[in-house]
Amino acid sequence: MGLIAGIRQVRIDVWSWLNYKPVFSDPRGMPNRRAFPEALASWVPADDERRLAAYKVLTGYDQNQAAELAAVVDGDAARDRREFGDPSMFVDTILAHVLGREQHITVPGAEEDAGDGEPDASTAAAQRVQDLLRDWAETELLAMRMQQTERKAVSLGDGVYRLAWNPQKRRVTLRAVDPGFYFPVIGEDDDGGEYPTRVHFAWELPEDPKRGLKARLRRITYELAPIGPATGTGVDGKGRAVRAPLTVDGPDGETTVVIGQGDIADPETGTVSRQYAWNDEPSTLTCYLTDATWELGDLKGGVDVDSLPMAAAQYATRSDGEVLDRLDLMLDFIPVIHVPNTVPPAEEHWGQSSLAKVLQVFDELQGADTDSARASATTGLPMIAISGATNNRQTYSVAPGAVFTLGETGRITTVDTSPALRELREQRHDLGERAANVARLPAVSLGTLDPSKVPSGYAMQLSLGPLDSLMGVMRLARAHKYALLLKFVQRLHLAGQHPDWAGVTPLPAELVFGPYTPTDKASVLEQVTAGVAGNVLSLETGVRMLIDAGFPIEDAADEIDRIQSRQFAAAVQLADALGNVDEVAKYLGREAPDQIEAPAVQLPPVPADTTATDQSQLADGQGPQGSGGNT
């Protein structure tokens, strides 16, 4: 039993790639308490301890502070390690590639029938939704929010968005949340890949002696649950602001619970249903929001973030006076988007950091950099041995112009450490290539490739194969998440009754990432020109290819309209084919000219002495036979 009890436990999970670090995994497989006190707080669930510790380790590498964590176990000598920002450079490079040069919101169908006059109803609806989403993205700084979240996703493995309707700004607000604050509730029988029905955001607030505040824990909770009775702001026996069900007194003195306006109660089952603006059928679910704070000293016993005592909670109050104690948001979804960096394994919820597989290589790089720094010191200021000096008590120093007085058998010997420095530099170069290969980042993507050494563009394209597969997987993990985000944005605007969104039906929308590889624009332009001219590519497809290649085209439909408005030769062919001036004008995007009727033919007057025969000839257009044929 003693031997079995002393065996080290090997824990394999989504964070096991960090098990090689003693600071992360002790003999029990748990993180070091001195290095990760926040991950091992009493309110943190046991399943999240290794996740939070892994986030801190990865942040340390990204911020050149990995040696600080290693010093907890290895001692102060670990702080002498050199860290020159290689992990941060990898993160920035992968982030730039996964996002591309630009991002575009597109709604399928918005570019159909472009340039053919007035669009049909479905196309007009798609164009309206697309324009509204793009205006919102520009106002809400979506590109910046994506940079914030995606950098967390690439470096830590997970990113989180939180959406909310802001009554003051009259629009949906989008915030990037650190994944260390994100605690989804995933039961033993739940599939981690499914959308959770209960989500917490929790973090500790430090003590504030000036304001007389103790250390506290704040938790914001979103929960999908059956629709209940209407509630209002009230105060309980302890003087806390809470929400209580609204009731009315009936004529017989009985108290009846009030349901929300527009809600329908089933008298047989007692369930309450609600018709949302974006659903065809009524729903019995709604999302409740709770924002509460606890003093850490009040958290006793085995409680975690999902089982905090509500009797000790202090609820926050919104700017409009609503107490955030299970406040009904009038939504049938949780406005939270979790973005994994990679496609999670089956039944898993968390993604994997892009640094996960190369951390050990980065440790070797730190060692090589440290050794190189030490070797360069002895190379720049070499070690010298002096024998046969005339004054043995004299202290010698190496400096330009220094003179050493030696005896007849005196000798100066120097130790050349430059070969060792050269070997260390070569080793560092090899380690850098090893890290790039493992991370699937070819030299051309890191900017370290000499263009003169590339035999052809085709060879460069082949070298980008690993990067193509990497970006394919990473963008696949994000495609559904951003489609879900844009769906939530539409629904929240409808729930907030924004006037610009009146009458809008939510439509599927997607976020298209730009190209991430070097593009030969001249070659693409030549292909599009030849394809459109040869009638093997439509103008719509050609414009889309130009946008993907990085040409400065903001809107495909507008660009097509501008192109067709100058195609006068094609308009002439269209006129010859149809013989319809209105269709030609519609093709050119112009107004058709008014049709002017030709004036009636005016015949010359007939002279009085003209005979009947001459008159008939004049009517037939013939003049009388005479001098010059004229009368």
Side-chain angles (χ1 to χ4, degrees):
M1 294 296 294
L3 292 176
I4 296 177
I7 294 178
R8 178 186 178 94
Q9 296 181 3
V10 178
R11 186 168 181 178
I12 300 179
D13 55 10
V14 292
W15 319 108
S16 57
W17 41 269
L18 269 173
N19 283 347
Y20 78 97
K21 282 189 167 298
V23 72
F24 180 80
S25 182
D26 62 12
R28 299 173 302 156
M30 300 304 296
N32 186 283
R33 285 192 171 275
R34 291 191 297 125
F36 311 102
E38 61 283 331
L40 300 173
S42 61
W43 57 270
V44 174
D47 293 339
D48 292 295
E49 292 175 352
R50 285 168 59 85
R51 174 174 69 92
L52 299 184
Y55 287 164
K56 188 171 184 178
V57 172
L58 292 167
T59 303
Y61 275 89
D62 191 20
Q63 302 294 331
N64 287 352
Q65 293 179 329
E68 295 292 328
L69 289 175
V72 175
V73 175
D74 300 337
D76 292 338
R79 290 190 171 92
D80 295 334
R81 296 179 185 175
R82 297 292 192 271
E83 298 182 68
F84 295 150
D86 294 278
S88 180
M89 182 267 293
F90 270 56
V91 170
D92 292 336
T93 301
I94 296 175
L95 174 65
H97 288 324
V98 74
L99 291 181
R101 298 187 182 94
E102 67 279 323
Q103 303 83 41
H104 299 283
I105 295 176
T106 61
V107 177
E111 298 177 2
E112 293 182 3
D113 299 328
D116 295 334
E118 293 295 330
D120 55 22
S122 61
T123 302
Q127 291 175 352
R128 183 183 179 188
V129 172
Q130 180 174 274
D131 293 339
L132 288 172
L133 287 174
R134 289 180 175 180
D135 292 341
W136 168 82
E138 182 176 358
T139 305
E140 192 56 23
L141 304 177
L142 177 61
M144 186 183 70
R145 307 296 183 198
M146 290 179 61
Q147 288 279 342
Q148 295 171 342
T149 302
E150 287 295 346
R151 201 179 195 288
K152 292 287 186 182
V154 172
S155 60
L156 305 182
D158 303 284
V160 181
Y161 291 106
R162 186 156 61 97
L163 300 99
W165 171 255
N166 191 311
Q168 286 75 31
K169 296 182 178 180
R170 298 291 297 167
R171 72 169 185 268
V172 176
T173 56
L174 180 67
R175 294 293 178 265
V177 183
D178 191 297
F181 301 151
Y182 171 65
F183 296 90
V185 179
I186 303 174
E188 296 181 355
D189 298 330
D190 297 338
D191 185 352
E194 295 294 332
Y195 203 85
T197 59
R198 185 176 172 90
V199 171
H200 303 293
F201 292 95
W203 62 95
E204 290 187 9
L205 301 173
E207 182 182 3
D208 189 351
K210 293 183 179 180
R211 299 170 57 190
L213 298 176
K214 299 180 180 179
R216 293 152 293 152
L217 171 66
R218 184 178 178 185
R219 189 190 75 180
I220 298 176
T221 300
Y222 295 89
E223 182 180 10
L224 275 180
I227 301 173
T231 59
T233 301
V235 180
D236 66 359
K238 299 179 181 180
R240 298 184 308 164
V242 295
R243 301 192 69 82
L246 298 178
T247 59
V248 294
D249 295 332
D252 53 357
E254 295 183 357
T255 301
T256 306
V257 177
V258 178
I259 63 174
Q261 184 178 2
D263 294 348
I264 302 173
D266 188 341
E268 296 183 359
T269 61
T271 59
V272 180
S273 60
R274 179 182 300 159
Q275 180 64 57
Y276 293 100
W278 48 85
N279 287 344
D280 296 331
E281 298 292 335
S283 173
T284 60
L285 296 177
T286 189
C287 181
Y288 292 100
L289 171 63
T290 302
D291 187 351
T293 305
W294 290 261
E295 291 186 0
L296 292 180
D298 294 338
L299 302 181
K300 306 294 183 181
V303 298
D304 60 18
V305 70
D306 191 47
S307 60
L308 298 175
M310 304 309 296
Q314 294 292 331
Y315 299 104
T317 302
R318 206 166 59 179
S319 58
D320 57 359
E322 294 287 354
V323 178
L324 302 182
D325 172 19
R326 284 183 61 84
L327 175 66
D328 190 345
L329 295 180
M330 310 295 288
L331 305 172
D332 63 344
F333 59 91
I334 295 178
V336 174
I337 305 293
H338 167 243
V339 182
N341 184 50
T342 57
V343 176
E347 299 183 357
E348 289 289 346
H349 186 78
W350 308 104
Q352 188 178 82
S353 169
S354 295
L355 302 179
K357 297 301 195 312
V358 290
L359 280 188
Q360 295 192 48
V361 184
F362 286 141
D363 288 343
E364 295 294 331
L365 277 170
Q366 291 178 14
D369 290 335
T370 303
D371 294 340
S372 297
R374 292 169 178 170
S376 62
T378 59
T379 300
L381 190 63
M383 295 177 288
I384 297 178
I386 299 177
S387 62
T390 57
N391 187 358
N392 294 331
R393 297 182 178 181
Q394 181 180 356
T395 300
Y396 297 93
S397 60
V398 179
V403 178
F404 304 98
T405 304
L406 305 178
E408 295 181 358
T409 60
R411 185 176 60 180
I412 296 179
T413 304
T414 61
V415 179
D416 183 12
T417 61
S418 59
L421 179 60
R422 190 180 308 110
E423 290 294 330
L424 287 172
R425 288 178 175 176
E426 291 180 358
Q427 180 192 17
R428 194 199 185 287
H429 179 73
D430 294 341
L431 289 172
E433 288 188 350
R434 183 70 173 271
N437 291 335
V438 174
R440 289 189 286 178
L441 290 176
V444 63
S445 66
L446 291 171
T448 59
L449 179 66
D450 185 358
S452 62
K453 296 182 179 180
V454 180
S456 65
Y458 181 70
M460 178 181 291
Q461 190 67 30
L462 289 178
S463 69
L464 291 172
L467 181 64
D468 292 338
S469 62
L470 174 65
M471 291 299 105
V473 173
M474 296 181 69
R475 290 188 172 185
L476 175 63
R478 289 158 170 78
H480 170 68
K481 299 298 182 176
Y482 284 104
L484 194 63
L485 186 147
L486 296 176
K487 180 193 294 185
F488 287 176
V489 170
Q490 298 179 63
R491 292 183 174 184
L492 283 168
H493 275 105
L494 293 178
Q497 298 181 358
H498 193 286
D500 293 343
W501 289 77
V504 170
T505 300
L507 296 175
E510 58 185 6
L511 190 68
V512 179
F513 298 104
Y516 55 87
T517 55
T519 304
D520 188 353
K521 291 186 177 181
S523 176
V524 174
L525 181 60
E526 182 179 355
Q527 294 175 5
V528 171
T529 303
V532 174
N535 295 325
V536 296
L537 284 178
S538 67
L539 186 58
E540 291 80 2
T541 302
V543 172
R544 176 54 57 190
M545 291 174 61
L546 296 178
I547 293 176
D548 294 340
F551 283 83
I553 300 175
E554 296 182 357
D555 188 88
D558 292 342
E559 187 70 16
I560 292 171
D561 290 341
R562 286 191 289 267
I563 293 173
Q564 292 187 160
S565 65
R566 298 172 176 85
Q567 291 185 343
F568 300 111
V572 172
Q573 296 177 0
L574 182 63
D576 294 340
L578 300 180
N580 190 323
V581 179
D582 293 334
E583 291 292 335
V584 175
K586 185 187 299 184
Y587 177 80
L588 294 174
R590 302 167 181 260
E591 293 291 335
D594 296 333
Q595 297 293 333
I596 302 176
E597 296 183 0
V601 179
Q602 299 292 331
L603 297 177
V606 181
D609 57 348
T610 303
T611 63
T613 303
D614 294 336
Q615 292 180 5
S616 63
Q617 292 178 350
L618 287 173
D620 295 337
Q622 302 176 2
Q625 298 296 326
S627 161
N630 295 324
T631 302

